[in-house]
Amino acid sequence: MQLSTLDYSFIVVFFSIVLGIGIYVSKKSGKDSSEFFLSGRTMPWWLLGLSMVATTFSTDTPNLVTDIVRTNGVSGNWVWWAFLITGLLTVFVYAKLWRRSNVNTDLEFYEMRYGGKAASFLRKFRAVYLGALFNIITMASVTLAAIKIGGIMLGLEPWETVVGAGLITVTFSALGGFKGVVYTDFLLFFVAMSGAIGAAYYLVNIPEVGGIEALMANDAVKTKLDILPDFSDQNALIMLFIIPLAVQWWSSWYPGAEPGGGGYIAQRMLAAKDENHAIGATFFFNIMHYALRPWPWILVALASIVVYPDIASIQAAFPNIAESKLGHDLAYSAMLTKLPSGLLGVVLASLIAAYMSTISTQLNWGSSYIVFDFYKQQINPNATEKQMVSIGRISTVILMVLSAGLALLLENALQIFDILLTFGAGTGLIFILRWFWWRINAWSEIAAMFASGIISILLKTTALGPLLFNSEDGVFPSWFEYPFVVIVTSAIWLAATFLTQPESKETLRAFYKRIQPGGPGWNKVVNEAKADGEKIAKDNEKWSVPQGITAMILGCILIYTIMFSTGYWIYGRTTPAIILTVIAIISAFLLIKAWGRMKDNIL
């Protein structure tokens, strides 16, 4: 495949603008650590919302969606669609709590909510565990997708893609800090969205596919179109629908979809002007992420089934691709090679945009953990602002190098998704309850974190997994692995909670006074403080969580119906499309009214 001068022009102009933004904001971003990691907490909701969308618009996401659609059909996407519930719980319950905390990172929360050596250990350990280990794995997945795109579309060796893409991204990230990331995300969103839509429209209409009607009528594609899984297929129903909706959304920690908020989503909420802007940003993100963005990727994935029906056909078309990198996720990149000059340049620029947005966010977020939660806590408590910015920039480079090295060893995006999902299984309920139940302590989180990780490793690397879940006598069906990890991990952290001492009265009262979480889970603490003559709760403040859950349910109905009605309009199924569109309009009206009532409870 040959790029034209026009294609190269799009890419060069894009790179120049991105680097220009990084250089332009570098002086102000380097002023102090708050500017470098949170942009002085002055960001508006629309800019933060676009940044969240752009960040999750990574190069591995279309590859992952393509892999899912080709393997399990459109309904297979419920493994990540279910996280909408988590996202809207963050919007309507947790966003205002995070903004009230006024911490620099979500890990700083630990020493506000908990106390003593256990809290200090938890903060430092998770700074390395999440900021380094998990962050490197996530970035490696994104870089792996870039390697596959570079190999198929440009004929690049893996190391050439890693060095080229990584060098520019790490330079701009180290210079511009968080403000550079957010400002460029504004550009990256529109470039990435334009490229995805343009590619889907063109590729559905190439002669091999024959247009949308021919695509929908193709025998191989028709079996993949259902938005809901086949209810007669028990294994598919449980794995692809019931477990994600009933268990996965609340029980698992996953980057960008943490129950109760966290990670780079929390970083953006903490950078917002106020609580309303934090809520607006996260709601806008969830609408764009779930309701509108998946369909261009899904259409390309469906078209790829016609053009490349199996992995062998991909290998035949691209014989230079290493066998270790072959997989269904390659089909997305393979389809993009059929784009014409001009559009090819836009799409390549959009993929570069997606890569840079995700990696730059992960680098800035990960280095914020290393600086605030490890370096300043463990190495240099008296660090100056200049020293913290310098360490942030150094750690940015180190994280990039390590993730790039790991990317060269990986095979496919779905592999990483499964690893991250299982590693966090069973921990999510803590992140939801720790704001509203006084009894949870630092040992609860430590127990959950280690239990989930150790059990996952044992299942993946020893004979325990096959013995329990793939035995010939059917002791457990294969789909029981994830719930098994959730059940065992939950039992362990609950036991740890009641077997260890609760946090001190001083710690619990200080937390309540600052956050004002409300609810029956804090009645004991509030009543004891009142008996001691200490007032920690505000007068006549109504607990907003029931209203938040109502808004969450209405929001889920709104976004799911928009997403599904969009799919049915594309499929040409007018009746269900109209019905779902009407439901979306009604739920939007009810959500607006519910939100109006909630605003009275936002300080």
Side-chain angles (χ1 to χ4, degrees), residues 252-296:
S252 184
W253 183 96
Y254 186 79
E258 299 89 344
Y264 56 78
I265 300 297
Q267 185 187 32
R268 278 151 179 75
M269 291 188 286
L270 292 168
K273 287 181 178 181
D274 54 38
E275 293 173 25
N276 277 319
H277 281 270
I279 293 169
T282 47
F283 187 53
F284 178 76
F285 158 67
N286 279 280
I287 292 174
M288 296 300 298
H289 182 56
Y290 293 99
L292 301 178
R293 193 170 55 181
W295 286 106

Side-chain angles (χ1 to χ4, degrees), residues 147-419:
I147 288 172
K148 295 192 175 190
I149 291 168
I152 282 189
M153 299 188 69
L154 302 174
L156 297 176
E157 292 294 325
W159 70 267
E160 292 175 320
T161 301
V162 166
V163 171
L167 189 60
I168 293 174
T169 304
V170 76
T171 300
F172 133 78
S173 301
L175 284 174
F178 183 75
K179 182 169 288 186
V181 170
V182 173
Y183 282 6
T184 52
D185 278 348
F186 180 78
L187 169 68
L188 301 180
F189 167 79
F190 290 104
V191 173
M193 201 72 201
S194 299
I197 294 172
Y201 180 82
Y202 182 86
L203 292 172
V204 165
N205 290 288
I206 60 176
E208 296 99 307
V209 179
I212 191 69
E213 292 184 3
L215 178 64
M216 297 298 115
N218 186 281
D219 289 337
V221 172
K222 283 194 291 186
T223 61
K224 305 288 186 180
L225 293 177
D226 290 339
I227 293 174
L228 296 175
D230 182 0
F231 281 33
S232 65
D233 184 341
Q234 181 184 3
N235 193 60
L237 179 64
I238 294 174
M239 278 292 292
L240 303 178
F241 191 69
I242 293 177
I243 288 178
L245 281 177
V247 180
Q248 182 178 293
W249 70 268
W250 58 264
S251 65
S252 184
W253 183 96
Y254 186 79
E258 299 89 344
Y264 56 78
I265 300 297
Q267 185 187 32
R268 278 151 179 75
M269 291 188 286
L270 292 168
K273 287 181 178 181
D274 54 38
E275 293 173 25
N276 277 319
H277 281 270
I279 293 169
T282 47
F283 187 53
F284 178 76
F285 158 67
N286 279 280
I287 292 174
M288 296 300 298
H289 182 56
Y290 293 99
L292 301 178
R293 193 170 55 181
W295 286 106
W297 298 331
I298 291 171
L299 286 172
V300 174
L302 293 171
S304 75
I305 297 172
V306 179
V307 181
Y308 302 104
D310 50 33
I311 294 176
S313 60
I314 300 175
Q315 185 176 28
F318 303 95
N320 294 328
I321 297 297
E323 188 171 345
S324 63
K325 304 298 182 187
L326 283 171
H328 283 294
D329 56 339
L330 271 177
Y332 189 83
S333 304
M335 291 295 291
L336 297 184
T337 63
K338 299 183 176 295
L339 295 175
S341 176
L343 181 56
L344 177 60
V346 172
V347 171
L348 272 175
S350 76
L351 293 172
I352 295 168
Y355 173 82
M356 293 183 67
S357 176
T358 302
I359 294 295
S360 61
T361 288
Q362 296 288 147
L363 289 172
N364 187 266
W365 163 62
S367 62
S368 74
Y369 281 2
I370 292 171
V371 170
F372 286 119
D373 303 301
F374 184 76
Y375 173 73
K376 187 170 175 59
Q377 293 294 308
Q378 185 72 28
I379 307 298
N380 187 3
N382 299 315
T384 65
E385 292 294 330
K386 186 175 181 181
Q387 287 175 322
M388 288 194 288
V389 171
S390 297
I391 294 298
R393 286 173 168 160
I394 291 169
S395 60
T396 295
V397 175
I398 293 173
L399 289 172
M400 185 73 240
V401 171
L402 293 175
S403 65
L406 178 60
L408 297 173
L409 305 176
L410 298 175
E411 295 179 7
N412 65 71
L414 194 56
Q415 171 189 21
I416 302 301
F417 181 85
D418 289 339
I419 290 173

